[in-house]
Amino acid sequence: MKRTCVTCVCAFAAFAFAGTARLSSQDKKDAGEAHKIVHFGDLKWTPIIKGCDIASVDGDMNAEGTPFVLRLRCADGSKIPAHWHPTDENVTVLKGTFLVGMGETFDESKMQTMNVGNFVSMPKEIRHYAMSKGETIVQVHGAGPFKVNWVNPSEVPPPDAAPAAAKPKS
C-alpha cells in the first residue's frame, strides 16, 4: 500500500512538472514575435528578366542560411533560360501553368507541366529552365542566399525598360 501511494505521488509530481514546463514554453511562444500577414497587393515587384518580376514575401533571400519566401510572376510565354542555384530551391505554382525542364539547354520538348498546387524541389546546383503558360505566379522558398547563376548569360533577355517618367509640360 505504501509503495502504491509513493508511486502515485511520484506520477502526480511528474505530471505537474511536465504541465508547468509546457505552460512555460507556451508563454515564451506567445510573448515572442507576432504572426505576419502579407497581402498580395502589398508585394513590391521588381523586373528580373523579360516578362518576369520577383517579389520578396518573407525573410531575407540574400542572407546566408536564412529562410526566405519569394514569388516570381511571369507573363504568358516568358522563358527562363537554363540556370542553377547554390542552394536547394522549392517551387509551388500559385497561378497559371509553369513548365520545368532539366539540363543546360532550353528544350521545350523535355519540359514537364506544373499546374496550380503542384510542387517541385530542385537540389542545389542542378541545371534547369522554365516557361510560363498564361500569367503565372510561383512561390519559391528555401534558405538563402537565393542566387541565379545563368548557364549562358547571353541567352538571358533583359527586363523591359521601366516606363519613362512623364515630362512636365512647359
Side-chain angles (χ1 to χ4, degrees), residues 99-102 105-113 129 131:
L99 292 93
V100 178
M102 304 298 153
T105 306
F106 191 99
D107 184 349
E108 200 168 333
S109 70
K110 294 183 179 176
M111 298 179 93
Q112 293 182 303
T113 301
Y129 48 91
M131 185 171 90

Side-chain angles (χ1 to χ4, degrees), residues 92-144:
T92 304
V93 180
L94 301 180
K95 178 180 180 181
T97 303
F98 199 58
L99 292 93
V100 178
M102 304 298 153
E104 295 197 0
T105 306
F106 191 99
D107 184 349
E108 200 168 333
S109 70
K110 294 183 179 176
M111 298 179 93
Q112 293 182 303
T113 301
M114 293 179 54
N115 297 309
V116 172
N118 290 164
F119 170 84
V120 62
S121 180
M122 300 283 192
K124 68 180 183 178
E125 299 181 5
I126 191 166
R127 278 45 175 179
H128 59 283
Y129 48 91
M131 185 171 90
S132 62
K133 282 193 180 176
E135 182 184 44
T136 301
I137 298 174
V138 298
Q139 183 160 290
V140 179
H141 73 274

Side-chain angles (χ1 to χ4, degrees), residues 20-96:
T20 303
R22 187 174 299 142
L23 287 174
S24 175
S25 69
Q26 184 64 40
D27 289 343
K28 289 178 185 174
K29 286 181 187 176
D30 291 345
E33 197 173 313
H35 70 283
K36 178 180 178 182
I37 295 176
V38 178
H39 296 278
F40 182 80
D42 294 338
L43 294 176
K44 294 180 182 13
W45 296 95
T46 304
I48 55 165
I49 63 172
K50 183 175 179 67
C52 295
D53 303 322
I54 193 170
S56 177
V57 176
D58 191 43
D60 183 352
M61 68 179 109
N62 298 311
E64 183 78 31
T66 302
F68 71 87
V69 179
L70 63 86
R71 290 194 182 158
L72 180 66
R73 175 179 65 185
C74 295
D76 181 35
S78 296
K79 294 181 179 180
I80 302 171
H83 62 282
W84 58 276
H85 310 281
T87 58
D88 294 345
E89 178 186 36
N90 302 289
V91 180
T92 304
V93 180
L94 301 180
K95 178 180 180 181

